[in-house]
């Protein structure tokens, strides 16, 4: 009986680990080189620094958002029955959400826009400096390598003196290519998507109201992100990404 149980477990293990060449899984496969490691450690070192109100750390990212409307009026909920909506819906277009988050103090801001061009990015950086954190001496911004995330975008929106004034207060820290998971803003976007966006939202005004209602209690409660992955952790668990030392 015991032997039979071992055989059964062995067969189950073999079946679980059998090759399945007809299946594929999408995976982020980074290019392991010194540039990747340098950017990764730069971001991780930034996360390990102590809080400094004069030099805040802000993670910035964006996500597209599809707008959907109801074709038929949903049936309201009743005792013992959930709200019912028809499976058919109407497409209302696509817009964009910009997300700013200071994961260590628990502040975030989500902004709905029609587009995500270089000028839109420049406006976000202008708001970050002039409206959200005007008393900061320098703002360390973590962001990915999207083609619109360029400091030069400020010069396409503002006069040169204004663009330079804003850039003097910004310090950009870019995540490595194929490593946007290092941007804590993606953690916040994941929470936003699960808690707020899994519903039909018909227009950009309604979307802005929804995300504002979602962010307000999180800001009031100063909900932080408990980031624990450090540079030392990376040198251990991701050591295969480090280039060999050339003699």
């Amino acid at each position: 009986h015991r032997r039979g149980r071992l055989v059964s477990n062995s067969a189950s293990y073999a079946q679980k680990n059998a090759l399945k060449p007809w299946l594929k899984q999408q995976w982020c496969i980074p290019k392991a080189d010194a540039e990747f490691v340098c950017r990764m450690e730069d971001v991780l070192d930034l996360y390990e620094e102590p809080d400094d109100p004069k030099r805040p750390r802000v993670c910035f990212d964006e996500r597209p958002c599809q707008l959907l409307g109801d074709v038929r009026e949903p049936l309201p909920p009743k005792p013992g029955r959930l709200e019912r909506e028809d499976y058919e819906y109407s497409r209302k277009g696509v817009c964009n959400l910009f997300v700013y988050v200071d994961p260590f103090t628990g502040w975030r801001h989500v902004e709905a826009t029609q587009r995500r061009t270089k000028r839109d990015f420049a406006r976000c950086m202008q708001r970050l400096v002039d409206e959200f954190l005007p008393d900061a001496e320098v703002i360390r911004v973590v962001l990915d390598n999207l083609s619109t995330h360029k400091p030069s975008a400020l010069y396409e929106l503002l006069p040169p003196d204004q663009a330079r004034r804003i850039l003097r207060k910004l310090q950009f820290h870019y995540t490595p290519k194929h490593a946007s998971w290092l941007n804590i803003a993606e953690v916040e976007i994941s929470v936003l998507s699960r808690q707020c966006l899994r519903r039909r939202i018909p227009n950009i005004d309604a979307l802005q109201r929804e995300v504002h209602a979602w962010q307000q209690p999180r800001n009031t409660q100063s909900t932080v992100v408990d980031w624990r992955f450090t540079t030392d952790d990376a040198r251990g668990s991701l050591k295969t990404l480090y280039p060999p030392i050339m003699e």
Side-chain angles (χ1 to χ4, degrees):
H1 180 69
R2 183 177 181 182
R3 182 181 302 172
R5 188 163 61 243
L6 289 174
V7 170
S8 175
N9 289 343
S10 178
S12 174
Y13 178 83
Q15 184 179 8
K16 178 181 177 181
N17 291 277
L19 290 177
K20 300 175 182 178
W22 62 93
L23 297 179
K24 292 183 180 179
Q25 185 179 41
Q26 285 192 339
W27 202 257
C28 181
I29 305 175
K31 180 182 178 182
D33 58 12
E35 179 68 19
F36 181 98
V37 169
C38 181
R39 290 192 178 193
M40 176 180 66
E41 292 202 350
D42 173 62
V43 172
L44 293 176
D45 281 354
L46 180 65
Y47 290 164
E48 289 188 72
E49 289 189 15
D51 288 332
D52 184 348
K54 291 296 184 181
R55 305 176 73 242
R57 296 160 290 178
V58 174
C59 298
F60 179 85
D61 205 355
E62 63 271 316
R63 90 181 284 278
C65 189
Q66 187 176 28
L67 301 173
L68 301 173
D70 291 309
V71 175
R72 297 171 182 82
E73 191 70 22
L75 299 177
K78 293 182 178 181
R81 192 186 76 182
L82 300 176
E83 179 183 18
R84 294 178 177 178
E85 64 179 15
D86 194 83
Y87 68 89
E88 188 177 0
Y89 57 84
S90 60
R91 299 180 186 273
K92 302 293 186 179
V94 178
C95 65
N96 177 70
L97 289 175
F98 285 114
V99 177
Y100 321 65
V101 57
D102 182 339
F104 307 102
T105 65
W107 171 84
R108 76 268 301 136
H109 176 75
V110 184
E111 181 176 344
T113 62
Q114 294 286 357
R115 296 168 298 276
R116 58 170 189 178
T117 65
K118 286 192 289 185
R119 291 173 65 87
D120 293 308
F121 169 73
R123 289 190 186 95
C124 289
M125 295 301 102
Q126 182 183 24
R127 293 195 69 190
L128 183 61
V129 169
D130 291 340
E131 296 181 37
F132 301 142
L133 297 169
D135 297 327
E137 294 176 357
V138 62
I139 304 168
R140 281 86 59 80
V141 183
V142 176
L143 65 173
D144 62 25
N145 294 273
L146 195 66
S147 60
T148 56
H149 294 173
K150 304 296 183 184
S152 58
L154 273 297
Y155 286 92
E156 298 184 22
L157 178 70
L158 300 169
D161 59 329
Q162 293 299 311
R164 179 47 51 186
R165 176 185 63 82
I166 291 173
L167 287 174
R168 286 194 183 107
K169 296 189 68 173
L170 295 173
Q171 184 183 97
F172 294 112
H173 296 260
Y174 290 97
T175 60
K177 293 181 180 180
H178 288 280
S180 58
W181 57 270
L182 284 164
N183 188 345
I184 299 180
E186 288 210 349
V187 177
E188 192 73 11
I189 288 175
S190 177
V191 177
L192 169 66
S193 300
R194 295 195 309 272
Q195 296 182 350
C196 180
L197 303 180
R198 287 184 176 176
R199 68 188 80 182
R200 294 175 186 174
I201 302 176
N203 55 64
I204 193 170
D205 292 332
L207 177 62
Q208 186 62 66
R209 290 194 298 270
E210 293 287 346
V211 297
H212 179 76
W214 172 83
Q215 76 182 17
Q216 281 298 100
R218 289 178 67 80
N219 281 339
T220 300
Q221 298 166 12
S222 298
T223 304
V224 300
V225 177
D226 185 16
W227 182 270
R228 300 184 181 184
F229 192 68
T230 66
T231 300
D232 288 340
D233 294 330
R235 290 174 181 174
S237 60
L238 301 180
K239 59 184 178 183
T240 58
L241 298 180
Y242 283 72
I245 305 299
M246 304 298 293
E247 296 293 342

